[in-house]
């Protein structure tokens, strides 16, 4: 970046009436997280060269600086010359999230999708938002659009399969993982996710077929497969032994997640609590919370308390009941 900035400074000095010189230098400042300096160049582009698109970059810089109200005001000036594009609404959504306003962020993300139903940035946002809301039906919808735009990328298929699994549609989840393995990524991780979905859906034949493949390629995941088999048979002592052994070999979050499930289902809450401490170091924060909530409910904590804590921690304290109805239902039905 230092050499790039030196070249950009020379470019600005030699060609002060060339907007590309300021564009390049502002890009470098943004990459270096020098947002105040980037704004100075963006102001030149906005005021002198009338480049309306630079307003979007300025609003983003102000967001990174924590000046959210100013960012929204600057962003609205974009509409004086431009149109409310999907990028405009997507940036508004990002500003609201940074400013801890989940409901407004969701609304603007939906507006971005109204403008462009295939805008990948917003599809990713809505996948994340609806995952946090436990609205898996919507996650499937957004992920399907994502796969239609990028049919060779595993992300859309992966989040869709995971959403199907959360909805209890295990055949669809397994089919998604089979597609990923056959066409995109044959990582042992996806074999394990497929096997878990197959067991949950009662398709032991499918689980066994892919378990045999793991035996040849990944010892830890094969042991994990055996642990899952015992877990779904409710043979908790054997399941614990195999799942704990698999985790010692690979220390992956999905393996530890299943081990914690084993402890919870067998009623060994103290072991589940101890394992949760390790889980919090390697898993996503919202996944850790759900595991902690399951343990807390086993110990008698009310669902309303857990729901409120989750909404405050992950949804910016959102009080929009239409948005959070799935959250309420999730914690009421959590076991």
């Amino acid at each position: 970046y230092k050499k790039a900035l030196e070249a950009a400074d020379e470019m600005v000095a030699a060609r002060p009436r060339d907007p590309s010189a300021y564009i390049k230098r502002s890009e470098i400042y943004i990459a270096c997280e020098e947002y105040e300096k980037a704004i100075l160049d963006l102001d030149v582009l906005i005021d002198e060269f009338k480049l309306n698109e630079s307003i979007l970059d300025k609003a983003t810089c102000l967001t990174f600086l924590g000046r959210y109200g100013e960012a929204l005001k600057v962003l609205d000036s974009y509409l004086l010359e431009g149109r409310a594009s999907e990028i405009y609404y997507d940036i508004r959504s990002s500003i609201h999230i940074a400013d801890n306003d989940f409901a407004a962020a969701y609304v603007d993300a939906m507006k971005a999708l109204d403008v462009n139903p295939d805008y990948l940035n917003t599809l990713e946002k809505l996948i994340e938002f609806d995952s946090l809301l436990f609205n898996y039906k919507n996650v499937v919808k957004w992920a399907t659009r994502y796969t239609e735009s990028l049919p060779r990328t595993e992300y859309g298929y992966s989040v869709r399969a995971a959403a199907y699994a959360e909805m209890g549609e295990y055949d669809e989840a397994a089919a998604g993982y089979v597609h990923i393995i056959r066409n995109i990524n044959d990582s042992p991780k996806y074999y394990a996710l497929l096997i878990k979905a197959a067991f949950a859906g009662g398709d032991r034949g499918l689980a066994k077929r892919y378990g045999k493949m793991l035996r040849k390629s990944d010892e830890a995941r094969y042991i994990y497969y055996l642990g899952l088999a015992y877990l779904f048979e409710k043979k908790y002592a054997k399941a614990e032994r195999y799942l704990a052994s698999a985790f010692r070999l690979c220390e992956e979050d999905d393996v530890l997640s299943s081990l914690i499930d084993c402890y919870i289902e067998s009623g060994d809450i103290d072991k589940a609590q101890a394992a949760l401490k390790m889980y919090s170091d390697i898993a996503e924060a919202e996944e850790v919370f759900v595991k902690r909530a399951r343990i807390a409910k086993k110990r008698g904590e009310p669902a309303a308390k857990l729901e409120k804590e989750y909404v405050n921690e992950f949804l910016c304290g959102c009080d929009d009941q239409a948005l959070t109805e799935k959250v309420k239902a999730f914690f009421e039905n959590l076991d």
Side-chain angles (χ1 to χ4, degrees):
Y1 291 129
K2 183 179 178 181
K3 288 184 177 181
L5 188 56
E6 289 172 357
D9 285 339
E10 291 176 11
M11 190 176 178
V12 169
R15 294 154 58 181
R17 298 306 304 164
D18 182 356
S20 63
Y22 296 94
I23 291 171
K24 280 297 176 188
R25 191 164 69 179
S26 68
E27 289 174 352
I28 296 164
Y29 281 136
I30 291 171
C32 295
E33 300 181 7
E34 295 277 2
Y35 302 117
E36 295 281 10
K37 292 179 180 178
I39 287 171
L40 294 176
D41 279 338
L42 292 168
D43 280 339
V44 172
L45 292 166
I46 295 165
D47 298 334
E48 295 189 22
F49 297 104
K50 310 303 179 185
L51 292 185
N52 202 47
E53 297 303 309
S54 295
I55 293 173
L56 303 175
D57 292 326
K58 182 178 178 180
T60 299
C61 287
L62 289 166
T63 303
F64 284 127
L65 290 168
R67 292 152 60 180
Y68 309 121
E70 191 178 349
L72 287 172
K73 186 176 179 180
V74 166
L75 190 61
D76 284 341
S77 70
Y78 175 78
L79 298 182
L80 298 177
E81 299 293 337
R83 62 183 181 87
S85 66
E86 66 272 30
I87 300 173
Y88 164 83
Y89 284 121
D90 189 69
I91 292 173
R92 278 188 68 92
S93 180
S94 296
I95 294 169
H96 287 310
I97 276 294
D99 197 23
N100 293 319
D101 191 340
F102 185 91
Y106 193 97
V107 167
D108 277 325
M110 289 298 296
K111 287 179 179 178
L113 218 61
D114 285 341
V115 177
N116 182 354
D118 301 315
Y119 188 51
L120 295 177
N121 279 7
T122 299
L123 286 172
E124 289 176 8
K125 267 193 177 69
L126 285 168
I127 285 169
E128 181 180 354
F129 290 170
D130 276 312
S131 294
L132 289 171
L133 292 166
F134 306 113
N135 193 353
Y136 297 114
K137 187 175 181 179
N138 273 0
V139 173
V140 167
K141 180 167 62 175
W142 311 138
T144 298
R145 288 193 194 175
Y146 197 96
T147 62
E148 289 167 354
S149 295
L150 291 177
R152 297 295 301 169
T153 302
E154 68 188 74
Y155 170 75
Y157 294 102
S158 176
V159 296
R160 185 173 65 183
Y164 275 131
E166 293 289 351
M167 293 164 65
E169 297 184 17
Y170 299 112
D171 288 348
E172 294 285 357
Y177 291 127
V178 168
H179 177 85
I180 294 172
I181 291 167
R182 290 179 177 175
N183 300 289
I184 303 173
N185 185 350
D186 62 352
S187 163
K189 173 184 73 173
Y190 288 117
Y191 279 76
L193 290 167
L194 164 57
I195 288 166
K196 189 171 185 178
F199 274 131
D203 193 341
R204 296 183 62 84
L206 181 64
K208 186 175 181 179
R209 184 158 70 250
Y210 279 86
K212 286 181 178 179
M213 296 180 196
L214 277 179
R215 188 173 192 174
K216 301 174 183 178
S217 61
D218 192 290
E219 180 185 8
R221 292 292 183 179
Y222 178 68
I223 294 171
Y224 176 49
Y225 148 69
L226 296 174
L228 286 176
Y230 285 122
L231 179 59
F232 281 96
E233 290 174 2
K234 301 188 184 304
K235 296 178 180 178
Y236 297 119
K238 288 184 177 180
E240 177 187 343
R241 189 159 61 249
Y242 279 95
L243 292 172
S245 178
F247 181 67
R248 283 194 295 272
L249 289 172
C250 67
E251 296 188 354
E252 295 287 344
D253 61 335
D254 60 319
V255 178
L256 185 54
S257 173
S258 293
L259 179 58
I260 294 172
D261 289 343
C262 178
Y263 291 142
I264 292 172
E265 289 181 30
S266 67
D268 199 337
I269 302 304
D270 289 338
K271 280 188 178 179
Q273 188 70 54
L276 187 67
K277 294 178 181 178
M278 291 186 288
Y279 191 61
S280 64
D281 291 332
I282 59 176
E284 297 292 332
E286 60 271 19
E287 294 171 0
V288 174
F289 186 96
V290 170
K291 281 284 188 285
R292 181 165 67 80
R294 287 189 67 198
I295 294 169
K297 278 202 77 174
K298 289 286 185 181
R299 287 181 163 162
E301 282 196 37
K305 178 178 180 294
L306 295 167
E307 176 202 348
K308 183 177 180 181
E309 188 179 344
Y310 179 87
V311 168
N312 286 335
E313 186 170 345
F314 296 104
L315 305 180
C316 313
C318 178
D319 59 359
D320 186 318
Q321 293 183 3
L323 272 182
T324 58
E325 62 176 343
K326 297 282 187 183
V327 177
K328 182 178 181 180
F330 178 84
F331 283 102
E332 285 177 347
N333 298 318
L334 193 63
D335 56 22

